[in-house]
Amino acid sequence: MPHNRAIAVFTDLDGTLLDHDTYSWTDARPALDRLKQLSIPLIAVSSKTLAELEHINQTSGLFDGLIGENGGVIALGGNVEQYGPATETVDRTREEIKSAVTVPVDSFRTVSPEVIAAETGLPLEDAIRAGQRHCSDPLIWQPAAKDIAVARKIAEKADLTLVKGGRFHTLCGPSSKGIAMRRMVERLSVAWLQESADGTHQRFTTIALGDSPNDIPMLAEADYAVQIPSKHGKRTLPLLEHSNLRIAPEPGPAGWSKAVNDILDQIINTNKNSEVLHG
Ligand SMILES: [Mg+2]
């Protein structure tokens, strides 16, 4: 049964829907329950792999769609599409880097889960899922500055980028959370059209929530953008200029819940008013 308003919510996980320290989403319950009640799809948008996201979803049942590897892969209704670079391109480029630099190069795609576990501190089961990568590959190396420069050049030649995260340099495509979000909206619209009784095409109103610079393309794409303030930082400065950006009143899932509820109130009230005007 399709919901009666075409709204979709896109959310980052760590530090946004999940508490920065405990990874709990319990405090987001009020808004999560309301989304379920209204049949509004919730989409996870993360740098995690699909295997990691699917595992989270198996236990939580929170998400209707998954966007993994920072926008490189999309999963909706059992269909997986890879928008990031081909896996072979990533592998070939890594091998080129390996033969051009002066230090040994391994990566999540080349080592055993035991090594990933040792490098990341993840339990083995999680390390296995973190290693199941489609279109991005964190390098395991100890580079000098000149190695990084060489690697960046080789990556660029293959239309890839070398992004420094908290801990690893990750070889990945230029795909971003924003592009993936637009594609997911297209797919949701198709699903909506198939389900709706009168066959009317509806433009989806989108809400996106994030806390970090890699969320900016997703927030920029949304009709309603929510920045989750950092839990441990000082004053939160807006990540981007956006006519409809709000900073959640609290960090983590509690702020997530309040912001989503406020926006839903606003959208639903606007809908009611326009029904009065035009109905
Ligand atoms: Mg985050």
Side-chain angles (χ1 to χ4, degrees):
M1 174 82 180
H3 45 87
N4 53 2
R5 289 171 207 90
I7 303 170
V9 180
F10 292 79
T11 185
D12 169 56
L13 297 188
D14 294 346
T16 298
L17 176 59
L18 308 181
D19 181 88
H20 182 274
D21 301 317
T22 64
Y23 298 105
S24 162
W25 43 270
T26 313
D27 290 343
R29 258 282 158 233
L32 289 169
D33 286 346
R34 193 171 173 195
L35 293 179
K36 281 263 185 281
Q37 216 172 23
L38 294 170
S39 303
I40 293 174
L42 177 63
I43 314 295
V45 188
S46 173
S47 58
K48 293 182 198 301
T49 64
L50 277 188
E52 289 174 294
L53 293 175
E54 275 160 4
H55 177 70
I56 293 172
N57 213 23
Q58 267 162 19
T59 47
S60 70
L62 288 175
F63 305 110
D64 301 284
L66 306 171
I67 295 175
E69 294 186 61
N70 271 326
V73 279
I74 293 177
L76 180 69
N79 267 331
V80 175
E81 286 174 31
Q82 182 160 339
Y83 290 108
T87 315
E88 303 79 59
T89 308
V90 173
D91 286 344
R92 196 178 51 237
T93 308
R94 184 196 57 247
E95 291 310 304
E96 258 184 70
I97 290 171
K98 189 173 176 170
S99 48
V101 298
T102 55
V103 292
V105 177
D106 272 317
S107 79
F108 278 33
R109 281 186 50 79
T110 63
V111 298
S112 67
E114 284 77 8
V115 175
I116 297 176
E119 289 287 332
T120 56
L122 289 171
L124 187 59
E125 286 300 306
D126 293 344
I128 292 170
R129 289 184 278 266
Q132 290 171 19
R133 316 195 71 86
H134 289 76
C135 51
S136 64
D137 196 12
L139 303 184
I140 299 172
W141 64 340
Q142 302 293 331
K146 66 175 191 309
D147 297 315
I148 297 170
V150 167
R152 280 197 203 285
K153 268 218 179 90
I154 293 170
E156 251 169 57
K157 257 196 339 207
D159 283 330
L160 301 181
T161 52
L162 193 66
V163 176
K164 178 78 165 71
R167 196 150 170 180
F168 299 97
H169 285 93
T170 298
L171 194 56
C172 55
S175 59
S176 77
K177 289 185 171 187
I179 297 166
M181 176 174 156
R182 210 177 309 150
R183 282 168 176 155
M184 182 62 96
V185 169
E186 282 165 19
R187 292 183 53 180
L188 288 170
S189 304
V190 171
W192 170 282
L193 203 57
Q194 286 165 351
E195 279 179 50
S196 71
D198 54 0
T200 48
H201 187 82
Q202 281 237 31
R203 185 191 167 279
F204 267 82
T205 299
T206 53
I207 303 169
L209 306 98
D211 72 322
S212 303
N214 73 338
D215 298 316
I216 291 173
M218 168 176 79
L219 297 175
E221 191 69 30
D223 297 310
Y224 295 86
V226 179
Q227 182 178 341
I228 301 293
S230 106
K231 191 174 177 185
H232 300 299
K234 293 181 195 130
R235 203 160 66 91
T236 302
L237 296 169
L239 282 169
L240 73 162
E241 290 221 16
H242 186 299
S243 59
N244 228 342
L245 174 76
R246 65 188 74 198
I247 296 183
E250 289 176 54
W256 193 100
S257 192
K258 284 183 180 158
V260 169
N261 264 327
D262 281 352
I263 294 169
L264 290 179
D265 288 344
Q266 197 180 324
I267 297 174
I268 290 164
N269 277 333
T270 311
N271 272 17
K272 266 194 202 136
N273 291 340
S274 68
E275 270 161 32
V276 170
L277 283 175
H278 305 293

